[in-house]
Amino acid sequence: GAGVSQSPSNKVTEKGKDVELRCDPISGHTALYWYRQSLGQGLEFLIYFQGNSAPDKSGLPSDRFSAERTGGSVSTLTIQRTQQEDSAVYLCASSLDYRSYEQYFGPGTRLTVT
Amino acid sequence: GDSVTQMEGPVTLSEEAFLTINCTYTATGYPSLFWYVQYPGEGLQLLLKATKADDKGSNKGFEATYRKETTSFHLEKGSVQVSDSAVYFCALSEETSGSRLTFGEGTQLTVNP
């Protein structure tokens, strides 16, 4: 079956511009997670959704970052006024629900801020 | 807060050598423990998991045992192959935190023929 998909796979943007990253979870998975993978910080949690609600946004690095999920499916991570330190690979994962042990990861979106 | 510490890499081995990658953790509750693997050019994949003390996770010849007394979850394989070359991440999750994953730094493994 289809796995987690993310788009775009690569995004190059100029400092100060806004970007939107999209995640399509596995059908039927109610929990969705965003992580960031960067050279300096490793793999870090950003936010998770159970259904359309985000019980834990504690990993979002600043108020320039926001995320939403609609219809219990697709999620969008938005970064406003991008900075060079936002350059990273943004990973999305989904699981059956937040009690499920296994998260399935998408291929990621590589964001480069110039 | 929760944290995971992995042995520093990179690790370079010859084919058929024995592999150990050390992982220790700090957690407030009773976490589940995982090893994820990232092959070159691919996404993160779950390699194995253990959900309670003394559980042993195993997959593809890899094993790890959940040791509560030493707060460790070391990854082992008796005979590595070139195809095992990848980055390995130790991670934990707690249901009270929505099962978000806390990752170690990752260990790059290269296996030479």
Side-chain angles (χ1 to χ4, degrees):
Chain A
V4 178
S5 61
Q6 293 186 246
S7 60
S9 55
N10 280 285
K11 177 72 176 178
V12 180
T13 190
E14 291 180 353
K15 177 182 170 181
K17 296 285 176 85
D18 298 352
V19 295
E20 283 189 352
L21 312 180
R22 177 188 167 106
C23 172
D24 275 280
I26 293 172
S27 177
H29 281 195
T30 63
L32 185 148
Y33 303 80
W34 284 98
Y35 298 89
R36 181 168 72 172
Q37 186 173 23
S38 57
L39 281 178
Q41 302 297 323
L43 266 161
E44 53 181 345
F45 164 81
L46 297 178
I47 185 172
Y48 99 92
F49 291 88
Q50 177 61 40
N52 293 332
S53 301
D56 188 352
K57 308 179 184 179
S58 62
L60 295 177
S62 75
D63 58 8
R64 295 186 295 104
F65 288 72
S66 63
E68 65 175 11
R69 189 178 186 197
T70 55
S73 182
V74 171
S75 176
T76 302
L77 177 68
T78 301
I79 309 174
Q80 296 179 310
R81 305 181 303 280
T82 51
Q83 304 295 312
Q84 287 189 329
E85 62 263 28
D86 300 334
S87 296
V89 176
Y90 289 81
L91 296 171
C92 176
S94 71
S95 66
L96 279 172
D97 66 35
Y98 77 93
R99 291 179 296 265
S100 173
Y101 297 122
E102 182 160 2
Q103 295 182 21
Y104 296 82
F105 281 80
T109 292
R110 181 175 297 278
L111 175 67
T112 304
V113 182
T114 62
Chain B
D2 295 349
S3 66
V4 176
T5 302
Q6 281 181 241
M7 66 183 289
E8 292 186 12
V11 174
T12 302
L13 297 173
S14 298
E15 205 164 23
E16 299 183 2
F18 184 84
L19 169 72
T20 300
I21 301 177
N22 290 337
C23 171
T24 57
Y25 68 90
T26 302
T28 52
Y30 301 95
S32 296
L33 302 175
F34 307 85
W35 278 98
Y36 277 82
V37 59
Q38 190 171 34
Y39 297 104
E42 298 186 17
L44 272 171
Q45 304 173 26
L46 178 64
L47 180 60
L48 53 84
K49 67 178 186 288
T51 59
K52 61 182 186 298
D54 300 324
D55 269 2
K56 177 185 283 188
S58 61
N59 186 25
K60 299 182 180 180
F62 291 89
E63 291 183 342
T65 302
Y66 190 142
R67 300 287 187 202
K68 191 169 185 291
E69 64 276 13
T70 55
T71 61
S72 65
F73 193 55
H74 305 321
L75 182 69
E76 296 183 337
K77 187 174 186 182
S79 175
V80 294
Q81 306 300 311
V82 171
S83 57
D84 294 328
S85 297
V87 182
Y88 293 81
F89 293 91
C90 186
L92 67 80
S93 74
E94 295 196 78
E95 192 174 306
T96 52
S97 301
S99 299
R100 69 182 199 189
L101 289 163
T102 299
F103 289 93
E105 304 88 346
T107 301
Q108 172 76 58
L109 170 67
T110 301
V111 181
N112 294 318

